[in-house]
Amino acid sequence: MNIFDLFIIKNVFSEYKRKKMIQNSKKIIKLKKGKWFCPDITKHKNYKKLVEELALNTAKIVKFNLKIKNSWIAYSTGEKEIGFHNHNSDYSLVYYMQTKPNNSGTMFKNNFIKVDQNNALIFNSKLYHKVPKYFPKSDRRTLVLEYNNIWIYLTIIGILVV
């Protein structure tokens, strides 16, 4: 995968799992100092298996062995923009758990990539992206994963095999 590639995974979870994730997220997302905050959910009892399932599907698509670096649920209402940023990892995944047509997708420097609810977008973490303001205001919940490649180096007769 190179820096310009974006991949979409469609129909990631069953409707039952998706709705359960939304309900569970309401218990762990908290408002702190004017910002919505969610702790790392990689090992959270309600998300561990779902995050692992998503990681396995991602690894199949990008054809790399991946290690989850971090994961969280991002929540917004459309009132404030989450400005341009990138991540200190190899790949990012955004799973659009609860969205409406007006807020389902991610803005990159050059264009907005529309991704429907229950789909996921995988992209190179170095790409700058943001969640713009949207109207009408509505809840937007996404599950975000950051991945790093797992490189296994073997030296055989002076040749580096990756």
Side-chain angles (χ1 to χ4, degrees):
M1 181 196 283
N2 75 42
I3 195 163
F4 302 106
D5 291 337
L6 303 168
F7 296 92
I8 295 175
I9 304 173
K10 297 194 174 203
N11 302 313
V12 175
F13 293 113
S14 69
E15 191 64 7
Y16 172 80
K17 283 183 183 178
R18 187 185 70 79
K19 287 183 176 179
K20 187 89 170 147
M21 290 170 71
I22 293 166
Q23 282 305 109
N24 289 333
S25 73
K26 292 176 183 178
K27 300 170 191 169
I28 60 175
I29 298 172
K30 306 288 183 220
L31 190 61
K32 285 187 176 181
K33 298 180 183 178
K35 292 185 179 183
W36 292 102
F37 171 79
C38 174
D40 184 350
I41 61 167
T42 306
K43 294 188 171 63
H44 190 281
K45 65 180 180 179
N46 294 327
Y47 290 95
K48 185 180 185 325
K49 287 183 181 176
L50 297 168
V51 167
E52 289 171 356
E53 182 181 333
L54 201 46
L56 284 172
N57 288 338
T58 305
K60 287 177 190 172
I61 288 170
V62 298
K63 295 181 175 51
F64 288 132
N65 291 321
L66 300 173
K67 180 178 183 350
I68 299 170
K69 179 182 177 185
N70 196 7
S71 63
W72 65 92
I73 295 171
Y75 173 75
S76 61
T77 61
E79 292 177 50
K80 295 180 181 177
E81 177 175 277
I82 300 170
F84 278 112
H85 63 281
N86 65 0
H87 299 273
N88 187 20
S89 56
D90 294 320
Y91 299 101
S92 295
L93 177 141
V94 179
Y95 167 64
Y96 300 86
M97 183 187 324
Q98 180 185 20
T99 59
K100 302 270 189 216
N102 66 319
N103 68 12
S104 197
T106 298
M107 174 67 79
F108 291 88
K109 286 280 186 173
N110 297 326
N111 58 347
F112 184 80
I113 303 295
K114 181 159 178 30
V115 183
D116 294 331
Q117 181 173 273
N118 199 36
N119 294 337
L121 176 66
I122 306 165
F123 56 94
N124 187 301
S125 292
K126 305 303 182 249
L127 293 173
Y128 281 87
H129 59 282
K130 72 176 182 175
V131 178
K133 288 183 186 181
Y134 50 86
F135 187 81
K137 295 174 184 150
S138 58
D139 288 353
R140 178 184 196 266
R141 293 172 198 271
T142 57
L143 187 151
V144 181
L145 279 79
E146 291 182 310
Y147 300 107
N148 282 324
N149 285 330
I150 300 173
W151 299 97
I152 301 173
Y153 296 97
L154 297 173
T155 305
I156 303 173
I157 313 174
I159 298 171
L160 185 64
V161 178
V162 179

